[in-house]
mmCIF file of all heavy atoms in Angstrom:
data_model
loop_
_atom_site.group_PDB
_atom_site.id
_atom_site.type_symbol
_atom_site.label_atom_id
_atom_site.label_comp_id
_atom_site.label_asym_id
_atom_site.label_seq_id
_atom_site.Cartn_x
_atom_site.Cartn_y
_atom_site.Cartn_z
ATOM 1 N N THR A 177 3.791 20.973 8.645
ATOM 2 C CA THR A 177 3.942 19.572 9.033
ATOM 3 C C THR A 177 2.750 19.151 9.897
ATOM 4 O O THR A 177 1.942 19.971 10.321
ATOM 5 C CB THR A 177 5.245 19.353 9.815
ATOM 6 O OG1 THR A 177 5.268 20.252 10.937
ATOM 7 C CG2 THR A 177 6.450 19.631 8.939
ATOM 8 N N THR A 178 2.672 17.844 10.167
ATOM 9 C CA THR A 178 1.542 17.276 10.897
ATOM 10 C C THR A 178 2.033 16.542 12.135
ATOM 11 O O THR A 178 2.963 15.734 12.043
ATOM 12 C CB THR A 178 0.781 16.280 9.994
ATOM 13 O OG1 THR A 178 0.362 16.949 8.809
ATOM 14 C CG2 THR A 178 -0.434 15.708 10.718
ATOM 15 N N PRO A 179 1.431 16.788 13.306
ATOM 16 C CA PRO A 179 1.824 16.046 14.512
ATOM 17 C C PRO A 179 1.539 14.557 14.353
ATOM 18 O O PRO A 179 0.618 14.151 13.636
ATOM 19 C CB PRO A 179 0.944 16.653 15.607
ATOM 20 C CG PRO A 179 0.464 17.954 15.054
ATOM 21 C CD PRO A 179 0.383 17.774 13.581
ATOM 22 N N LYS A 180 2.316 13.736 15.041
ATOM 23 C CA LYS A 180 2.111 12.294 14.959
ATOM 24 C C LYS A 180 0.787 11.861 15.564
ATOM 25 O O LYS A 180 0.311 10.756 15.289
ATOM 26 C CB LYS A 180 3.267 11.556 15.647
ATOM 27 C CG LYS A 180 4.587 11.678 14.899
ATOM 28 C CD LYS A 180 5.674 10.841 15.543
ATOM 29 C CE LYS A 180 6.969 10.927 14.741
ATOM 30 N NZ LYS A 180 8.055 10.101 15.337
ATOM 31 N N THR A 181 0.176 12.717 16.403
ATOM 32 C CA THR A 181 -1.105 12.369 17.007
ATOM 33 C C THR A 181 -2.287 12.662 16.090
ATOM 34 O O THR A 181 -3.417 12.315 16.415
ATOM 35 C CB THR A 181 -1.316 13.132 18.326
ATOM 36 O OG1 THR A 181 -1.207 14.541 18.072
ATOM 37 C CG2 THR A 181 -0.287 12.712 19.364
ATOM 38 N N ALA A 182 -2.035 13.298 14.943
ATOM 39 C CA ALA A 182 -3.128 13.624 14.028
ATOM 40 C C ALA A 182 -3.657 12.360 13.364
ATOM 41 O O ALA A 182 -2.894 11.444 13.043
ATOM 42 C CB ALA A 182 -2.652 14.607 12.963
ATOM 43 N N PRO A 183 -4.977 12.289 13.126
ATOM 44 C CA PRO A 183 -5.530 11.089 12.487
ATOM 45 C C PRO A 183 -5.056 10.889 11.062
ATOM 46 O O PRO A 183 -5.131 9.779 10.539
ATOM 47 C CB PRO A 183 -7.051 11.338 12.542
ATOM 48 C CG PRO A 183 -7.203 12.802 12.685
ATOM 49 C CD PRO A 183 -6.014 13.260 13.483
ATOM 50 N N THR A 184 -4.548 11.965 10.413
ATOM 51 C CA THR A 184 -4.101 11.856 9.023
ATOM 52 C C THR A 184 -2.588 11.802 8.899
ATOM 53 O O THR A 184 -2.048 11.923 7.795
ATOM 54 C CB THR A 184 -4.621 13.064 8.222
ATOM 55 O OG1 THR A 184 -4.201 14.269 8.883
ATOM 56 C CG2 THR A 184 -6.138 13.047 8.127
ATOM 57 N N TYR A 185 -1.874 11.625 10.030
ATOM 58 C CA TYR A 185 -0.409 11.582 9.982
ATOM 59 C C TYR A 185 0.060 10.379 9.173
ATOM 60 O O TYR A 185 -0.414 9.254 9.366
ATOM 61 C CB TYR A 185 0.176 11.504 11.387
ATOM 62 C CG TYR A 185 1.679 11.312 11.403
ATOM 63 C CD1 TYR A 185 2.540 12.381 11.177
ATOM 64 C CD2 TYR A 185 2.237 10.051 11.625
ATOM 65 C CE1 TYR A 185 3.908 12.208 11.176
ATOM 66 C CE2 TYR A 185 3.614 9.875 11.631
ATOM 67 C CZ TYR A 185 4.448 10.950 11.408
ATOM 68 O OH TYR A 185 5.807 10.765 11.408
ATOM 69 N N VAL A 186 0.994 10.615 8.252
ATOM 70 C CA VAL A 186 1.610 9.547 7.464
ATOM 71 C C VAL A 186 3.111 9.746 7.506
ATOM 72 O O VAL A 186 3.618 10.826 7.176
ATOM 73 C CB VAL A 186 1.131 9.564 5.997
ATOM 74 C CG1 VAL A 186 1.855 8.492 5.189
ATOM 75 C CG2 VAL A 186 -0.379 9.339 5.925
ATOM 76 N N GLU A 187 3.842 8.740 7.919
ATOM 77 C CA GLU A 187 5.297 8.840 7.993
ATOM 78 C C GLU A 187 5.900 8.648 6.610
ATOM 79 O O GLU A 187 5.592 7.686 5.904
ATOM 80 C CB GLU A 187 5.865 7.780 8.931
ATOM 81 C CG GLU A 187 7.375 7.883 9.096
ATOM 82 C CD GLU A 187 7.930 6.889 10.107
ATOM 83 O OE1 GLU A 187 7.142 6.069 10.614
ATOM 84 O OE2 GLU A 187 9.139 6.944 10.371
ATOM 85 N N ILE A 188 6.729 9.605 6.218
ATOM 86 C CA ILE A 188 7.408 9.532 4.930
ATOM 87 C C ILE A 188 8.879 9.227 5.163
ATOM 88 O O ILE A 188 9.560 9.897 5.935
ATOM 89 C CB ILE A 188 7.278 10.867 4.152
ATOM 90 C CG1 ILE A 188 5.800 11.178 3.900
ATOM 91 C CG2 ILE A 188 8.028 10.792 2.832
ATOM 92 C CD1 ILE A 188 5.072 10.155 3.078
ATOM 93 N N LYS A 189 9.379 8.210 4.493
ATOM 94 C CA LYS A 189 10.773 7.818 4.663
ATOM 95 C C LYS A 189 11.701 8.894 4.113
ATOM 96 O O LYS A 189 11.357 9.617 3.181
ATOM 97 C CB LYS A 189 11.024 6.494 3.934
ATOM 98 C CG LYS A 189 10.213 5.334 4.494
ATOM 99 C CD LYS A 189 10.459 4.065 3.704
ATOM 100 C CE LYS A 189 9.614 2.918 4.252
ATOM 101 N NZ LYS A 189 9.822 1.664 3.475
ATOM 102 N N LYS A 190 12.897 8.982 4.685
ATOM 103 C CA LYS A 190 13.834 10.041 4.318
ATOM 104 C C LYS A 190 14.167 10.023 2.832
ATOM 105 O O LYS A 190 14.317 11.066 2.210
ATOM 106 C CB LYS A 190 15.118 9.912 5.142
ATOM 107 C CG LYS A 190 14.934 10.254 6.614
ATOM 108 C CD LYS A 190 16.243 10.164 7.361
ATOM 109 C CE LYS A 190 16.053 10.532 8.839
ATOM 110 N NZ LYS A 190 17.321 10.453 9.588
ATOM 111 N N GLU A 191 14.263 8.843 2.233
ATOM 112 C CA GLU A 191 14.641 8.789 0.829
ATOM 113 C C GLU A 191 13.544 9.304 -0.091
ATOM 114 O O GLU A 191 13.763 9.556 -1.262
ATOM 115 C CB GLU A 191 15.005 7.352 0.432
ATOM 116 C CG GLU A 191 13.908 6.325 0.700
ATOM 117 C CD GLU A 191 14.053 5.665 2.054
ATOM 118 O OE1 GLU A 191 14.689 6.282 2.934
ATOM 119 O OE2 GLU A 191 13.569 4.537 2.219
ATOM 120 N N GLU A 192 12.297 9.497 0.470
ATOM 121 C CA GLU A 192 11.201 10.004 -0.327
ATOM 122 C C GLU A 192 11.102 11.525 -0.251
ATOM 123 O O GLU A 192 10.286 12.126 -0.922
ATOM 124 C CB GLU A 192 9.891 9.377 0.140
ATOM 125 C CG GLU A 192 9.815 7.878 -0.091
ATOM 126 C CD GLU A 192 8.561 7.282 0.489
ATOM 127 O OE1 GLU A 192 8.146 7.731 1.589
ATOM 128 O OE2 GLU A 192 7.988 6.378 -0.129
ATOM 129 N N ARG A 193 11.894 12.151 0.566
ATOM 130 C CA ARG A 193 11.830 13.588 0.748
ATOM 131 C C ARG A 193 12.675 14.272 -0.314
ATOM 132 O O ARG A 193 13.899 14.163 -0.312
ATOM 133 C CB ARG A 193 12.325 13.985 2.138
ATOM 134 C CG ARG A 193 11.434 13.462 3.269
ATOM 135 C CD ARG A 193 12.089 13.705 4.608
ATOM 136 N NE ARG A 193 11.211 13.268 5.690
ATOM 137 C CZ ARG A 193 11.630 13.002 6.913
ATOM 138 N NH1 ARG A 193 12.894 13.114 7.223
ATOM 139 N NH2 ARG A 193 10.789 12.619 7.843
ATOM 140 N N ALA A 194 12.028 14.966 -1.229
ATOM 141 C CA ALA A 194 12.736 15.592 -2.329
ATOM 142 C C ALA A 194 13.226 16.977 -1.935
ATOM 143 O O ALA A 194 12.445 17.833 -1.533
ATOM 144 C CB ALA A 194 11.832 15.696 -3.552
ATOM 145 N N MET A 195 14.541 17.201 -2.062
ATOM 146 C CA MET A 195 15.157 18.514 -1.871
ATOM 147 C C MET A 195 14.936 19.108 -0.486
ATOM 148 O O MET A 195 14.941 20.329 -0.322
ATOM 149 C CB MET A 195 14.672 19.489 -2.946
ATOM 150 C CG MET A 195 14.989 19.069 -4.352
ATOM 151 S SD MET A 195 14.422 20.256 -5.581
ATOM 152 C CE MET A 195 15.482 21.665 -5.181
ATOM 153 N N LYS A 196 14.722 18.293 0.516
ATOM 154 C CA LYS A 196 14.566 18.804 1.872
ATOM 155 C C LYS A 196 15.900 18.645 2.588
ATOM 156 O O LYS A 196 16.348 17.526 2.825
ATOM 157 C CB LYS A 196 13.463 18.046 2.622
ATOM 158 C CG LYS A 196 12.113 18.071 1.943
ATOM 159 C CD LYS A 196 11.556 19.472 1.838
ATOM 160 C CE LYS A 196 10.164 19.442 1.238
ATOM 161 N NZ LYS A 196 9.611 20.793 1.076
ATOM 162 N N LYS A 197 16.535 19.743 2.913
ATOM 163 C CA LYS A 197 17.908 19.694 3.385
ATOM 164 C C LYS A 197 18.052 19.615 4.904
ATOM 165 O O LYS A 197 18.940 18.960 5.395
ATOM 166 C CB LYS A 197 18.669 20.904 2.858
ATOM 167 C CG LYS A 197 18.710 20.994 1.336
ATOM 168 C CD LYS A 197 19.315 19.763 0.689
ATOM 169 C CE LYS A 197 19.354 19.889 -0.812
ATOM 170 N NZ LYS A 197 19.905 18.680 -1.446
ATOM 171 N N TYR A 198 17.216 20.312 5.655
ATOM 172 C CA TYR A 198 17.314 20.303 7.118
ATOM 173 C C TYR A 198 15.933 20.066 7.718
ATOM 174 O O TYR A 198 14.943 20.625 7.255
ATOM 175 C CB TYR A 198 17.889 21.624 7.644
ATOM 176 C CG TYR A 198 19.390 21.711 7.533
ATOM 177 C CD1 TYR A 198 19.981 22.026 6.316
ATOM 178 C CD2 TYR A 198 20.221 21.456 8.626
ATOM 179 C CE1 TYR A 198 21.367 22.098 6.193
ATOM 180 C CE2 TYR A 198 21.597 21.517 8.513
ATOM 181 C CZ TYR A 198 22.158 21.842 7.299
ATOM 182 O OH TYR A 198 23.530 21.897 7.184
ATOM 183 N N THR A 199 15.881 19.239 8.754
ATOM 184 C CA THR A 199 14.612 18.874 9.378
ATOM 185 C C THR A 199 14.602 19.264 10.846
ATOM 186 O O THR A 199 15.562 19.006 11.576
ATOM 187 C CB THR A 199 14.365 17.359 9.266
ATOM 188 O OG1 THR A 199 14.378 16.980 7.893
ATOM 189 C CG2 THR A 199 13.028 16.982 9.881
ATOM 190 N N CYS A 200 13.503 19.880 11.280
ATOM 191 C CA CYS A 200 13.331 20.223 12.693
ATOM 192 C C CYS A 200 13.077 18.947 13.489
ATOM 193 O O CYS A 200 12.162 18.177 13.176
ATOM 194 C CB CYS A 200 12.159 21.193 12.851
ATOM 195 S SG CYS A 200 11.783 21.616 14.565
ATOM 196 N N LYS A 201 13.876 18.723 14.510
ATOM 197 C CA LYS A 201 13.738 17.513 15.322
ATOM 198 C C LYS A 201 12.531 17.577 16.252
ATOM 199 O O LYS A 201 12.123 16.547 16.796
ATOM 200 C CB LYS A 201 15.019 17.293 16.145
ATOM 201 C CG LYS A 201 16.241 16.963 15.300
ATOM 202 C CD LYS A 201 17.450 16.640 16.149
ATOM 203 C CE LYS A 201 18.008 17.885 16.815
ATOM 204 N NZ LYS A 201 19.277 17.614 17.542
ATOM 205 N N VAL A 202 11.949 18.765 16.408
ATOM 206 C CA VAL A 202 10.797 18.917 17.299
ATOM 207 C C VAL A 202 9.496 18.603 16.582
ATOM 208 O O VAL A 202 8.687 17.806 17.055
ATOM 209 C CB VAL A 202 10.748 20.334 17.892
ATOM 210 C CG1 VAL A 202 9.505 20.503 18.757
ATOM 211 C CG2 VAL A 202 12.005 20.615 18.712
ATOM 212 N N CYS A 203 9.282 19.214 15.410
ATOM 213 C CA CYS A 203 7.992 19.065 14.732
ATOM 214 C C CYS A 203 8.061 18.425 13.354
ATOM 215 O O CYS A 203 7.030 18.114 12.766
ATOM 216 C CB CYS A 203 7.293 20.420 14.618
ATOM 217 S SG CYS A 203 8.034 21.541 13.395
ATOM 218 N N GLY A 204 9.284 18.261 12.804
ATOM 219 C CA GLY A 204 9.405 17.627 11.496
ATOM 220 C C GLY A 204 9.401 18.591 10.328
ATOM 221 O O GLY A 204 9.497 18.165 9.174
ATOM 222 N N TYR A 205 9.305 19.912 10.577
ATOM 223 C CA TYR A 205 9.364 20.886 9.488
ATOM 224 C C TYR A 205 10.696 20.757 8.758
ATOM 225 O O TYR A 205 11.755 20.613 9.375
ATOM 226 C CB TYR A 205 9.206 22.302 10.038
ATOM 227 C CG TYR A 205 9.489 23.401 9.029
ATOM 228 C CD1 TYR A 205 8.515 23.810 8.139
ATOM 229 C CD2 TYR A 205 10.746 24.003 8.969
ATOM 230 C CE1 TYR A 205 8.756 24.813 7.209
ATOM 231 C CE2 TYR A 205 11.008 25.006 8.044
ATOM 232 C CZ TYR A 205 10.013 25.405 7.167
ATOM 233 O OH TYR A 205 10.272 26.396 6.242
ATOM 234 N N GLU A 206 10.644 20.818 7.425
ATOM 235 C CA GLU A 206 11.852 20.676 6.626
ATOM 236 C C GLU A 206 12.203 21.993 5.947
ATOM 237 O O GLU A 206 11.390 22.544 5.196
ATOM 238 C CB GLU A 206 11.655 19.568 5.601
ATOM 239 C CG GLU A 206 11.544 18.196 6.254
ATOM 240 C CD GLU A 206 11.111 17.118 5.294
ATOM 241 O OE1 GLU A 206 10.159 17.359 4.518
ATOM 242 O OE2 GLU A 206 11.707 16.036 5.311
ATOM 243 N N TYR A 207 13.401 22.482 6.227
ATOM 244 C CA TYR A 207 13.875 23.703 5.593
ATOM 245 C C TYR A 207 14.519 23.350 4.264
ATOM 246 O O TYR A 207 15.498 22.600 4.207
ATOM 247 C CB TYR A 207 14.878 24.445 6.473
ATOM 248 C CG TYR A 207 15.437 25.667 5.763
ATOM 249 C CD1 TYR A 207 14.667 26.820 5.632
ATOM 250 C CD2 TYR A 207 16.701 25.640 5.176
ATOM 251 C CE1 TYR A 207 15.139 27.923 4.945
ATOM 252 C CE2 TYR A 207 17.188 26.738 4.492
ATOM 253 C CZ TYR A 207 16.403 27.880 4.371
ATOM 254 O OH TYR A 207 16.877 28.969 3.683
ATOM 255 N N ASP A 208 13.962 23.892 3.192
ATOM 256 C CA ASP A 208 14.471 23.667 1.841
ATOM 257 C C ASP A 208 15.143 24.949 1.364
ATOM 258 O O ASP A 208 14.454 25.955 1.123
ATOM 259 C CB ASP A 208 13.319 23.293 0.915
ATOM 260 C CG ASP A 208 13.797 22.974 -0.496
ATOM 261 O OD1 ASP A 208 14.978 23.191 -0.792
ATOM 262 O OD2 ASP A 208 12.965 22.498 -1.295
ATOM 263 N N PRO A 209 16.468 24.966 1.222
ATOM 264 C CA PRO A 209 17.169 26.189 0.805
ATOM 265 C C PRO A 209 16.653 26.756 -0.514
ATOM 266 O O PRO A 209 16.686 27.970 -0.719
ATOM 267 C CB PRO A 209 18.626 25.730 0.681
ATOM 268 C CG PRO A 209 18.725 24.559 1.599
ATOM 269 C CD PRO A 209 17.405 23.861 1.505
#
Side-chain angles (χ1 to χ4, degrees):
T177 55
T178 303
K180 291 185 177 181
T181 56
T184 55
Y185 174 79
V186 177
E187 183 176 4
I188 300 299
K189 297 178 181 179
K190 290 182 179 180
E191 56 267 23
E192 295 175 322
R193 295 171 177 160
M195 300 181 66
K196 303 297 184 182
K197 300 303 181 182
Y198 280 79
T199 302
C200 177
K201 293 185 288 186
V202 177
C203 73
Y205 170 83
E206 292 170 315
Y207 176 76
D208 183 352

